[in-house]
């Protein structure tokens, strides 16, 4: 079992139990597919309702004195494999089924849309991250054009194209000639240096849990949280990424759940709790709501 993300542990787990323990209602347990394996029934847990609202959110005190915000009782303890991927039709089908059973509003969006995503295969983490830097704050057509020029320039130096060694060998003036600013050139050089020195590699990135990966990639100049979230979803096909800083996702939440204002991080996290461990796909459908070429039917 891979180490679980700290952010998820903070929300739902009691580290004092050794293996992480996830508390979930028996009603919700029926929605989780076979990748969830029950390991033990929660013990020494006192329950105190926070309110009498229909969501039945409760506060649970654990042996370590922590308080966990969880769904309604009774509780079961679960261990979840967070190495899940959204790569391939079977994985997408499993994730889609889970989301449709977990959230009626999201189900309507899924049924309205013709087909699910087809994520690109990531053949090189370095080239994907380099493209992310090149395309920052550019219109799609301009981004594609400049990235194509970078690929061509690198291929002239080496048949393998955009590799750490080749990018490291490019001067700022060479990159400027193909439309890459001096600042972005410095970002690309820093990224290349992380790979050349061995701080990052395709293998290392593939093996990292999401918390460690976020820290490692945001240490590279020019790569922020949003860029890492996009890389996790569209290139690594991580299944449970919720890009709460993305404006499109926030607008999608606001529209689908008829919120008066753009939601906060805590609001989005709470709404999407039932989507776990497939929040990445849920976010993808929220992006579809912003497609003005195909308006979503009026919400009830």
């Amino acid at each position: 079992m891979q180490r679980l993300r700290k952010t998820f542990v903070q929300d739902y787990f009691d580290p004092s139990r050794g293996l992480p323990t996830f508390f979930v209602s028996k009603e919700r347990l029926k929605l989780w597919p076979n990748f969830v394996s029950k390991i033990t029934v929660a013990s020494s847990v006192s329950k105190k309702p926070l309110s009498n609202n229909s969501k039945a959110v409760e506060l649970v005190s654990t042996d370590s004195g922590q308080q966990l915000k969880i769904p309604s009782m009774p509780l079961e303890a679960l261990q979840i494999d967070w190495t899940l991927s959204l790569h391939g039709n079977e994985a997408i089908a499993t994730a889609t089924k889970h989301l449709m059973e977990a959230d009626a509003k999201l189900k309507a969006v899924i049924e309205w849309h013709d087909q699910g995503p087809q994520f690109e295969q990531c053949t090189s983490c370095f080239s994907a991250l380099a493209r992310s830097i090149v395309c920052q704050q550019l219109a799609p057509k301009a981004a594609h054009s400049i990235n194509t020029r970078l690929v061509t320039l690198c291929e002239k130096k080496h048949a393998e194209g955009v590799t750490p060694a080749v990018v490291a060998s490019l001067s700022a003036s060479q990159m400027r000639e193909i439309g890459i600013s001096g600042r972005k050139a410095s970002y690309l050089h820093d990224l290349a240096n992380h790979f050349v020195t061995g701080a990052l590699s395709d293998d290392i990135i593939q093996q990292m849990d999401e918390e460690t990966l976020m820290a490692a990639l945001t240490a590279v100049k020019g790569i922020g949280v949003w860029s890492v979230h996009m890389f996790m979803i569209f290139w690594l096909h991580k299944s449970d990424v919720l890009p709460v800083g993305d404006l499109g996702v926030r607008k999608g939440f606001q529209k689908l759940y008829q919120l008066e204002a753009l939601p906060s991080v805590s609001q989005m996290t709470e709404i999407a709790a039932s989507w776990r461990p497939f929040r990445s796909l849920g976010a993808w459908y929220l992006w579809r709501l912003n497609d003005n070429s195909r308006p979503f039917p009026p919400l009830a």
Side-chain angles (χ1 to χ4, degrees), residues 217-231:
L217 293 184
T218 53
V220 177
K221 294 177 182 178
I223 296 181
V225 172
W226 182 86
S227 295
V228 178
H229 279 157
M230 298 305 105
F231 177 68

Side-chain angles (χ1 to χ4, degrees), residues 3-300:
R3 188 162 68 88
L4 297 158
R5 292 187 301 122
K6 184 178 180 182
T7 52
F8 191 79
V9 172
Q10 288 176 333
D11 286 344
Y12 295 100
F13 288 87
D14 175 10
S16 69
R17 297 179 182 272
L19 285 174
T21 303
F22 175 51
F23 298 100
V24 63
S25 67
K26 284 184 176 178
E27 290 77 13
R28 183 165 292 173
L29 175 60
K30 292 186 293 186
L31 302 178
W32 293 71
N34 295 331
F35 55 78
V36 177
S37 57
K38 185 165 61 175
I39 55 174
T40 181
V41 175
S43 60
S44 303
V45 179
S46 60
K47 281 78 69 172
K48 179 183 177 182
L50 278 178
S51 66
N52 294 320
N53 62 26
S54 60
K55 293 183 179 179
V57 176
E58 296 168 348
L59 198 65
V60 175
S61 297
T62 66
D63 295 338
S64 65
Q66 287 186 315
Q67 291 184 325
L68 310 177
K69 192 175 181 182
I70 58 170
S72 58
M73 299 192 322
L75 306 177
E76 296 287 350
L78 308 175
Q79 188 175 19
I80 301 172
D81 182 0
W82 292 105
T83 62
L84 293 170
S85 169
L86 287 180
H87 179 65
N89 293 334
E90 184 176 349
I92 295 292
T94 299
T96 302
K97 181 176 183 293
H98 172 77
L99 292 177
M100 293 179 72
E101 292 175 340
D103 189 323
K105 287 185 178 294
L106 194 59
K107 178 182 179 182
V109 179
I110 294 170
E111 291 177 335
W112 158 74
H113 204 267
D114 292 335
Q115 59 184 12
Q118 295 291 326
F119 296 125
E120 294 184 57
Q121 180 65 39
C122 183
T123 57
S124 165
C125 291
F126 176 79
S127 64
L129 290 167
R131 188 169 84 170
S132 173
I133 290 173
V134 169
C135 296
Q136 286 174 4
Q137 299 178 322
L138 293 177
K141 186 175 180 179
H144 176 75
S145 176
I146 294 174
N147 188 68
T148 300
R149 290 180 216 154
L150 176 63
V151 172
T152 302
L153 178 62
C154 290
E155 288 177 344
K156 287 180 179 178
K157 284 185 167 286
H158 197 284
E160 291 185 2
V162 183
T163 66
V166 171
V167 171
S169 72
L170 298 176
S171 67
S173 61
Q174 285 178 305
M175 287 195 254
R176 192 176 301 114
E177 288 176 0
I178 61 171
I180 296 174
S181 68
R183 177 171 294 183
K184 286 186 178 180
S186 71
Y187 295 163
L188 289 170
H189 281 148
D190 191 53
L191 175 65
N193 183 62
H194 275 74
F195 275 78
V196 170
T197 60
L200 290 174
S201 71
D202 282 19
D203 288 340
I204 289 173
I205 287 173
Q206 295 286 355
Q207 293 171 13
M208 283 180 177
D209 64 80
E210 290 176 28
E211 177 201 2
T212 307
L213 181 58
M214 177 63 73
L217 293 184
T218 53
V220 177
K221 294 177 182 178
I223 296 181
V225 172
W226 182 86
S227 295
V228 178
H229 279 157
M230 298 305 105
F231 177 68
M232 286 180 177
I233 294 173
F234 293 103
W235 293 100
L236 298 184
H237 310 143
K238 296 286 187 181
S239 73
D240 196 44
V241 178
L242 185 64
V244 293
D246 184 87
L247 182 60
V249 168
R250 296 181 70 198
K251 286 183 175 179
F253 271 112
Q254 183 183 16
K255 182 174 182 178
L256 183 59
Y257 298 95
Q258 298 176 288
L259 306 175
E260 293 184 359
L262 289 173
S264 65
V265 172
S266 60
Q267 281 179 298
M268 290 183 284
T269 302
E270 182 175 351
I271 291 172
S274 65
W275 302 358
R276 286 183 180 271
F278 296 117
R279 295 183 301 174
S280 299
L281 186 59
W284 187 87
Y285 278 107
L286 292 182
W287 278 314
R288 305 285 76 74
L289 279 176
N290 298 309
D291 183 2
N292 295 325
S293 66
R294 192 168 183 265
F296 187 67
L299 296 165

